[in-house]
Amino acid sequence: MTRPFSCLLVVALLVVVPAQAAPKSGQEGDASCKQGQNCKLPDCLCPSLEPPGNFESLDDVPQFVVLSYDDAVTVTNKDFYLDFQNLNNPNFCRITMTFFLSHQYTDYTIVNELHRLGHEIALHSVTHKSDVSNYWRPGNESLWMQEMEDLRKMIVKFARIPEEDLKGWRAPFLELGGDEMFSALQQLGLKYDCSWTTLKYTNWFEKPNQGLWPYTLDYNSPQDCPLGRCPKDTYPGVWVMPMLDLNDNKNQPCAMLDTCQSEDGELLNDKDAVEAFLRRNFLVNYYTNKAPFGLYAHHSWFYEGTLNKTEARKEGYTNFLLWLSSLEDVYVVSLDRLLAWMKNPKPVDEIASIPEFRCPIFDPETTCPSHNKYHFGPENNIPPSMSSMYMTACTKPQPPYYPWLYNPYGLEDIPIQN
């Protein structure tokens, strides 16, 4: 197994507690969950600082890296995403990423193409309203459910993606919605949430805590709640994919790459500094307990560089991914594939036995043979702040009204409110 031993000494100085000494979360705030007794895979997994599977050695555990992107998929960012399609995992299958979609500006034909290439499409709300204090924070169960369900209907219809493939959710602005949000997730049959950040359960912040692995909400969670409201109730079978904070170049936590800071702008202008920042965070995680390592971003983080006439962020990020491809136990996967492994953990040399980790010899045929661009004006009930709206979809005919919350197919004459 190839591992980057040249960096081991540096990382070892940072990591003061080996993975074998990591306490189970049941020792801190969740004593009622006992894995293998009242909680059994594939449906239930207790919160833990150790991987599932009872592996003899950490070397048997795959290191999963999760890449996700939030908001609209458009012609502006399409090429950026497709540039990574030739990167492969150790099993020679293409790396896969997760796209948390919001509706406005999304080109559903591109969404269909990303899904055809094996990437995961997940939910991120219809409206993505910016008024966190007055809209998301006090949101009741009905609001959360409507934002999730209407977007799901849109993706199924306009991108022609099977409903069963839409498994995950991320709250806008990572504003965790407490019991109201998780109840909506459970009632809609969604499988996981990836909105819940953690500073306490990272591999760099404080000891004896380490990186928290994904778990189900069959029992109360020990996870800290830096943003939004944590759920107080339990939701059997609903998975939490913890967003482990990164340690930026100012020694501050950041859940999304967009919020990671640097001392002298090096994370904007210096590709080597970007790669070094990503490697440093990855290695602390890799040599501790191999909890899934997430790089969560908006495309605007990379676009900010191009506005400043630099490609440093994309180049450093790409070089980091190329370096990862040299490690035989590292898999860059979408969250739905990570979930498949969590339910059926296999050692790294048996990962091909998991159906979700296999890939076809040839990509499937498109289910979106025609790309239909629709124009909507004020008479079609577009958002009041807009003079016109465009939408590209795999379907015909054009809806009479702009699809929106409470009107996902655009068939009803329902004016959109601010």
Side-chain angles (χ1 to χ4, degrees):
M1 181 177 298
T2 303
R3 303 188 76 181
F5 286 106
S6 61
C7 299
L8 179 57
L9 180 59
V10 174
V11 176
L13 295 175
L14 298 173
V15 180
V16 298
V17 180
Q20 290 83 351
K24 294 281 188 178
S25 63
Q27 296 175 325
E28 184 175 333
D30 192 21
S32 62
C33 190
K34 298 178 177 61
Q35 195 64 41
Q37 298 180 35
N38 59 6
C39 182
K40 297 180 181 180
L41 286 174
D43 300 316
C44 178
L45 185 64
C46 297
S48 180
L49 311 183
E50 300 171 10
N54 297 315
F55 297 107
E56 292 184 3
S57 168
L58 198 61
D59 287 338
D60 294 327
V61 179
Q63 173 65 68
F64 294 109
V65 175
V66 174
L67 310 180
S68 80
Y69 307 96
D70 288 11
D71 300 345
V73 169
T74 70
V75 293
T76 303
N77 52 39
K78 171 187 176 182
D79 290 342
F80 173 85
Y81 300 138
L82 294 179
D83 279 349
F84 299 115
Q85 65 181 313
N86 293 323
L87 294 177
N88 292 331
N89 282 316
N91 62 350
F92 304 106
C93 292
R94 180 186 292 127
I95 70 169
T96 56
M97 306 177 288
T98 296
F99 294 87
F100 289 101
L101 285 192
S102 54
H103 168 61
Q104 196 167 353
Y105 307 115
T106 282
D107 184 324
Y108 288 97
T109 66
I110 302 173
V111 173
N112 178 282
E113 177 66 5
L114 291 169
H115 179 264
R116 185 183 75 87
L117 294 174
H119 302 298
E120 180 189 14
I121 307 302
L123 309 180
H124 192 45
S125 82
V126 174
T127 66
H128 203 279
K129 283 183 179 287
S130 59
D131 190 352
V132 172
S133 298
N134 297 307
Y135 187 77
W136 299 108
R137 196 161 294 161
N140 59 22
E141 180 185 289
S142 176
L143 181 144
W144 289 104
M145 187 174 294
Q146 202 76 45
E147 291 276 5
M148 296 174 191
E149 185 173 26
D150 283 357
L151 180 61
R152 183 167 67 178
K153 289 178 179 178
M154 292 176 181
I155 297 171
V156 170
K157 179 174 178 62
F158 299 121
R160 288 186 171 170
I161 292 175
E163 182 176 312
E164 60 268 22
D165 288 358
L166 303 174
K167 298 181 173 69
W169 160 262
R170 174 170 290 162
F173 309 101
L174 307 184
E175 184 67 26
L176 202 66
D179 289 303
E180 292 83 358
M181 190 188 86
F182 280 95
S183 178
L185 275 166
Q186 187 176 56
Q187 291 184 63
L188 291 175
L190 294 170
K191 304 304 180 187
Y192 72 82
D193 168 76
C194 188
S195 315
W196 197 338
T197 65
T198 178
L199 173 61
K200 181 179 179 181
Y201 289 101
T202 62
N203 280 318
W204 63 270
F205 178 59
E206 65 179 24
K207 305 303 173 186
N209 292 326
Q210 294 179 339
L212 186 61
W213 280 78
Y215 60 94
T216 63
L217 278 174
D218 291 65
Y219 298 86
N220 289 329
S221 170
Q223 190 172 337
D224 51 326
C225 206
L227 294 170
R229 295 177 290 114
C230 284
K232 297 179 181 179
D233 207 345
T234 58
Y235 300 90
V238 175
W239 287 77
V240 174
M241 301 297 199
M243 299 178 69
L244 278 57
D245 280 341
L246 303 175
N247 177 218
D248 71 16
N249 284 10
K250 288 188 173 182
N251 198 35
Q252 296 298 312
C254 51
M256 304 284 293
L257 286 175
D258 314 55
T259 60
C260 296
Q261 304 176 64
S262 54
E263 293 291 347
D264 299 305
E266 68 273 11
L267 293 186
L268 176 64
N269 301 309
D270 186 341
K271 66 179 181 179
D272 295 331
V274 173
E275 182 182 2
F277 157 69
L278 298 174
R279 281 203 195 197
R280 171 173 61 81
N281 277 275
F282 171 82
L283 286 170
V284 171
N285 199 77
Y286 185 59
Y287 284 116
T288 309
N289 74 340
K290 281 188 169 180
F293 179 73
L295 294 180
Y296 311 116
H298 299 80
H299 175 255
S300 57
W301 186 71
F302 302 93
Y303 189 61
E304 181 184 352
T306 63
L307 291 176
N308 286 271
K309 296 180 170 52
T310 173
E311 293 284 339
R313 284 180 174 170
K314 181 180 179 182
E315 291 175 4
Y317 184 87
T318 302
N319 290 340
F320 171 70
L321 296 181
L322 289 170
W323 174 73
L324 287 182
S325 67
S326 69
L327 307 180
E328 297 173 0
D329 57 346
V330 174
Y331 280 76
V332 180
V333 297
S334 48
L335 283 158
D336 56 351
R337 286 172 174 79
L338 170 60
L339 179 58
W341 186 89
M342 295 300 303
K343 292 182 173 184
N344 182 26
K346 298 288 184 182
V348 67
D349 59 357
E350 296 179 19
I351 206 165
S353 66
I354 302 175
E356 290 82 356
F357 280 78
R358 300 171 191 155
C359 53
I361 297 175
F362 302 104
D363 290 323
E365 294 291 327
T366 182
T367 59
C368 185
S370 64
H371 296 188
N372 307 290
K373 190 171 184 177
Y374 304 135
H375 173 261
F376 300 92
E379 68 278 11
N380 306 113
N381 293 337
I382 60 176
S385 60
M386 308 299 295
S387 59
S388 65
M389 290 294 300
Y390 290 89
M391 189 179 103
T392 306
C394 299
T395 54
K396 293 180 179 180
Q398 175 173 334
Y401 302 100
Y402 184 64
W404 198 249
L405 199 68
Y406 304 106
N407 192 18
Y409 303 132
L411 300 177
E412 305 294 333
D413 185 1
I414 303 175
I416 295 174
Q417 305 296 321
N418 283 324

